[in-house]
Structures are given as C-alpha cells and as structure tokens.
Amino acid sequence: DDCFVSTRHGARLRVSSHPSAFGDAIAMAHGGIAAAGTATEQLCARGVPVAAVPGDGPQFTLRFAEAQQRLLGEWSLLFDETFALNPQHAGRALAHALSDPSHADMCRRNALARSGAVGSASDAVAEALVGLL
C-alpha cells in the first residue's frame, strides 16, 4: 500500500510498504537517504543524489561506506555516526544538493559514465549468454 505524506515545506513524499516497491521507488526518486550499501549503490547507479548514513551494524559501517564512496564518486553524500544520531542533518544536506541543478546533473553524468544506461548491463549479459550458446 502506498501513502503520500506532505512535509511542512510543501513537498510530497510517497511512502510504500510493498516488498517489491524498491525498484519503483528508485525509478521515481529525485533523492534518497540510504542506510544500506545496496540502496546507496542502486540510487547512485540511477544518477539519484543520495545521503548515505552508515550505522554500527556489521555490514554498512563507516569504513565500508567510505570505500563505497571512492567507487561511486562524489555524488553520494557520506555522513558519519554523528549524523546518524541526528538524521535531520542528512535531510538538510540532501535538500541542499537537490536544490543545486549542477549537482543533480553531475550525478546523472557520473551514473552514465560508471554504470551505463539503465538496462545496459542486462543487455550486455544477455548478449554474452547468447554468444556462449
């Protein structure tokens, strides 16, 4: 089920609890706040500015997030544990990045250069498999 939430600044957020909504959400997103490495990677691959907030869990630690940012480029905003304790900081920084058209354009160019066009990996895998048959 989907619901829409309006913020005090007039923005409308779509929130979905459906298990398969992740791909749809990324396709519609203009920005994201991620607390997982896969979510960060998927948003960045689509050219969506993302605020990455690592935690103290076993997988998405600050060390992992720093290594991931080196691979993904400067298009992900990385926050340490201090910011994780105050998520409003991540939201404000993301809002600032989204208000800068040059940042959004840089995210899209970086995504295309590092990840290719949407669906291009699937096409390349299919072509390689056909070549093996």
Side-chain angles (χ1 to χ4, degrees):
D1 293 329
D2 290 352
C3 70
F4 289 90
V5 179
S6 295
T7 68
R8 62 185 162 145
H9 300 291
R12 281 190 81 199
L13 305 174
R14 179 179 178 187
V15 180
S16 179
S17 61
H18 194 274
S20 65
F22 184 68
D24 292 339
I26 288 175
M28 294 185 305
H30 297 282
I33 298 175
T38 301
T40 302
E41 178 183 313
Q42 293 298 311
L43 286 161
C44 288
R46 287 289 208 139
V48 176
V50 58
V53 184
D56 58 358
Q59 295 178 332
F60 197 56
T61 62
L62 180 59
R63 183 175 174 202
F64 177 89
E66 288 170 339
Q68 186 179 46
Q69 187 178 42
R70 285 190 294 275
L71 293 172
L72 297 176
E74 293 300 318
W75 46 339
S76 64
L77 308 166
L78 181 59
F79 298 98
D80 62 16
E81 300 89 4
T82 307
F83 280 93
L85 297 175
N86 190 349
Q88 292 84 1
H89 290 294
R92 281 190 210 110
L94 184 59
H96 178 72
L98 290 171
S99 69
D100 179 3
S102 65
H103 184 80
D105 187 51
M106 183 263 307
C107 289
R108 286 187 291 274
R109 285 193 322 268
N110 202 5
L112 189 58
R114 291 176 187 251
S115 302
V118 173
S120 62
S122 299
D123 293 342
V125 169
E127 287 176 23
L129 290 174
V130 168
L132 293 173
L133 298 176

